[in-house]
């Protein structure tokens, strides 16, 4: 029963996002489908010949990657790594690509993204739904066994120290989106939209040649914050409203952890959206930027120069990098500040 309710709740969220999020031109034949995978509701909108078979191969690909990258499925490669007791594990090219990017973004973000936080995430109950606020002393102890620098990746061989555990939840959906887009392209599709619960990836333009309109949800209520007009881009949001619980005083604890202290990140950002060419890098960056706060994020944006971002701060301001200004329409009454080079 509770499973059904959960699925229904997920479906409602997804519908809300779609209704808010995408402007679908329904005149040309379209194939739309939705399913639950990677712990979220995923929807596909595919135009062109072969649209149905292409969407089906997308779904199989996402489900295949879930089996590989899930930390809880005992058949997954991540599970194998986590139960390796310090022994080297040979992994597929997919797992290698995801870990490799996560380690790169970890380095670039000064450790804000850290895939070894699983024991901490678990302690908060985010893996099971049995939430609790852990003792600082317990978190400190767990953080002794968390450090992305301890993950060794050589070719396809991963070594993780004993008692360490990884979790690719911050990056897996981005990679799955990239692979889904690849599958569509292989079947000759040139116009499609993949929505993996908060990660939107667009292929080409809409069938009429105009850009996709992707809405970003307000972190404060169910309204649209803004609309971004894009083609061939990934738009990935990390928000404090996506997975959280509240204590008896109504204080909110969300699922993005600051590796500095093991508590939910609280550096002034309530929602971080990253726009770029690849879902994997955008997903890694959106989580990292959420943890880093806006000053460090601005610095990273200037250094890297290959992504754009839209941040919402806890004092209800929107910060937008100048590269997306032309494709951005504010739907809220919040003040917008442009971040310039
Ligand atoms: P979502 O999964 O809602 O799209 P994110 O991409 O930001 O959000 O990933 C959050 C997930 O990543 C958490 O549920 C947790 O499993 C894991 N995680 C939490 N904090 C971190 C962190 N600082 N670095 C890497 N992974 C994290
Ligand atoms: Mg992420």
């Amino acid at each position: 029963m509770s499973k059904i309710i959960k699925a229904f709740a997920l479906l409602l969220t997804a519908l809300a996002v779609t209704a808010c999020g995408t402007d679908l031109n329904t005149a040309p034949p379209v194939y739309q489908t939705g399913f639950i995978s990677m712990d979220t509701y995923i929807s596909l909108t595919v135009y062109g010949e072969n649209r149905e078979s292409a969407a089906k191969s997308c779904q199989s690909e996402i489900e295949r990657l879930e089996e590989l990258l899930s930390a809880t499925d005992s058949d997954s490669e991540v599970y194998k790594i986590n139960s390796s007791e310090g022994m080297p594990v040979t992994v597929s090219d997919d797992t290698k690509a995801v870990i490799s990017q996560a380690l790169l973004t970890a380095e670039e973000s000064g450790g804000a993204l850290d895939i070894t936080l699983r024991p901490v995430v678990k302690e908060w109950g985010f893996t099971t739904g049995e939430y609790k606020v852990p003792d600082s002393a317990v978190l400190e102890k767990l953080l002794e066994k968390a450090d992305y620098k301890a993950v060794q990746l050589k070719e396809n061989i991963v070594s993780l120290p004993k008692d360490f555990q990884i979790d690719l939840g911050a990056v897996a959906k981005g990679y799955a989106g990239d692979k889904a887009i690849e599958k569509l392209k292989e079947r000759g599709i040139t116009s499609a939209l993949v929505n993996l619960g908060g990660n939107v990836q667009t292929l080409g333009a809409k069938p009429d040649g105009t850009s996709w309109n992707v809405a970003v949800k307000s972190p404060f209520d169910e309204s649209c914050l803004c609309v971004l007009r894009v083609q061939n881009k990934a738009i990935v949001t990390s928000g404090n409203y996506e997975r959280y619980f509240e204590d008896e005083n109504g204080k909110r604890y969300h699922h993005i952890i600051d590796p500095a202290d093991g508590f939910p990140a609280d550096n002034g950002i309530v929602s971080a959206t990253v726009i770029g060419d690849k879902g994997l890098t955008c997903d890694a960056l959106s989580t990292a930027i959420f943890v880093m706060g806006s000053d460090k994020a601005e610095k990273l944006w200037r250094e890297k120069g290959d992504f754009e971002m839209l941040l919402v701060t806890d004092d209800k301001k929107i910060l937008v990098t100048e590269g997306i200004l032309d494709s951005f329409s504010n739907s809220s009454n919040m003040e917008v500040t442009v971040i310039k080079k």
Side-chain angles (χ1 to χ4, degrees):
M1 182 68 184
S2 70
K3 256 194 187 153
I4 296 170
I5 292 171
K6 195 175 164 207
F8 188 62
L10 277 169
L11 186 65
L12 283 180
T13 320
L15 287 176
V17 170
T18 309
C20 167
T22 43
D23 150 21
L24 301 174
N25 182 345
T26 45
V30 61
Y31 183 77
Q32 288 181 292
T33 186
F35 56 98
I36 289 174
S37 183
M38 298 196 146
D39 218 10
T40 195
Y41 182 79
I42 298 179
S43 67
L44 309 173
T45 303
V46 185
Y47 290 96
E49 256 179 70
N50 307 327
R51 56 193 172 277
E52 186 166 347
S53 65
K56 291 206 165 116
S57 79
C58 251
Q59 177 170 351
S60 315
E61 179 68 353
I62 293 168
E63 288 168 349
R64 182 184 73 82
L65 291 167
E66 181 192 24
E67 279 176 30
L68 213 57
L69 303 172
S70 154
T72 46
D73 183 340
S74 57
D75 292 328
S76 78
E77 291 193 342
V78 169
Y79 194 92
K80 224 185 259 172
I81 295 169
N82 287 344
S83 31
S84 64
E85 305 263 339
M87 299 301 285
V89 176
T90 302
V91 298
S92 61
D93 287 344
D94 293 308
T95 304
K96 176 187 161 195
V98 177
I99 294 179
S100 170
Q101 179 62 52
L103 296 177
L104 186 67
T105 305
E107 200 62 39
E108 289 172 349
S109 65
L113 184 81
D114 193 328
I115 55 170
T116 65
L117 286 175
R118 180 164 164 82
V120 177
V121 173
K122 246 187 188 166
E123 187 65 23
W124 282 93
F126 286 115
T127 50
T128 56
E130 287 161 28
Y131 303 121
K132 67 161 186 278
V133 181
D135 259 17
S136 309
V138 172
L139 291 176
E140 248 170 61
K141 197 99 199 113
L142 290 173
L143 285 173
E144 287 170 12
K145 299 276 162 66
D147 180 3
Y148 73 90
K149 288 185 179 140
V151 183
Q152 283 186 40
L153 178 67
K154 286 206 184 84
E155 302 292 327
N156 288 58
I157 299 173
V158 183
S159 309
L160 191 68
K162 198 172 170 302
D163 298 333
F164 275 58
Q165 289 207 345
I166 62 164
D167 159 12
L168 301 178
V171 279
K173 277 189 283 168
Y175 184 72
D178 290 337
K179 296 296 280 188
I181 296 280
E182 257 177 45
K183 287 285 168 201
L184 295 172
K185 281 184 177 168
E186 275 170 21
R187 278 163 179 76
I189 302 295
T190 55
S191 174
L193 185 142
V194 180
N195 187 348
L196 306 96
N199 288 30
V200 174
Q201 298 201 216
T202 58
L203 170 59
K206 286 192 289 183
D208 66 2
T210 61
S211 297
W212 298 97
N213 296 323
V214 178
V216 178
K217 195 185 154 295
S218 164
F220 302 109
D221 52 45
E222 289 307 309
S223 66
C224 287
L225 177 83
C226 67
V227 175
L228 295 166
R229 288 176 297 279
V230 293
Q231 300 188 12
N232 278 319
K233 293 281 181 221
I235 302 105
V236 179
T237 301
S238 286
N240 72 350
Y241 53 86
E242 282 174 41
R243 193 161 301 185
Y244 65 89
F245 68 96
E246 285 173 354
D247 68 10
E248 59 280 7
N249 303 317
K251 184 170 159 53
R252 185 184 285 197
Y253 299 92
H254 62 79
H255 71 141
I256 303 174
I257 303 296
D258 190 336
D261 59 8
F263 276 82
D266 187 17
N267 294 314
I269 295 183
V270 289
S271 159
T273 300
V274 172
I275 302 100
D277 292 336
K278 288 277 171 226
L280 176 58
T281 41
C282 290
D283 204 356
L285 282 168
S286 71
T287 307
I289 283 170
F290 186 97
V291 174
M292 292 163 87
S294 57
D295 290 351
K296 287 184 182 162
E298 278 187 34
K299 199 164 161 269
L300 185 65
W301 173 71
R302 286 196 186 91
E303 275 165 19
K304 281 182 61 69
D306 60 355
F307 71 94
E308 301 297 333
M309 64 183 184
L310 188 152
L311 312 177
V312 184
T313 60
D314 52 11
D315 56 355
K316 297 203 168 181
K317 288 190 178 121
I318 301 176
L319 308 174
V320 202
T321 52
E322 59 184 354
I324 42 159
L325 207 52
D326 288 347
S327 55
F328 161 85
S329 305
N330 189 6
S331 324
S332 76
N333 50 16
M334 282 181 238
E335 182 193 316
V336 179
T337 305
V338 180
I339 303 172
K340 297 193 170 144
K341 279 261 148 76

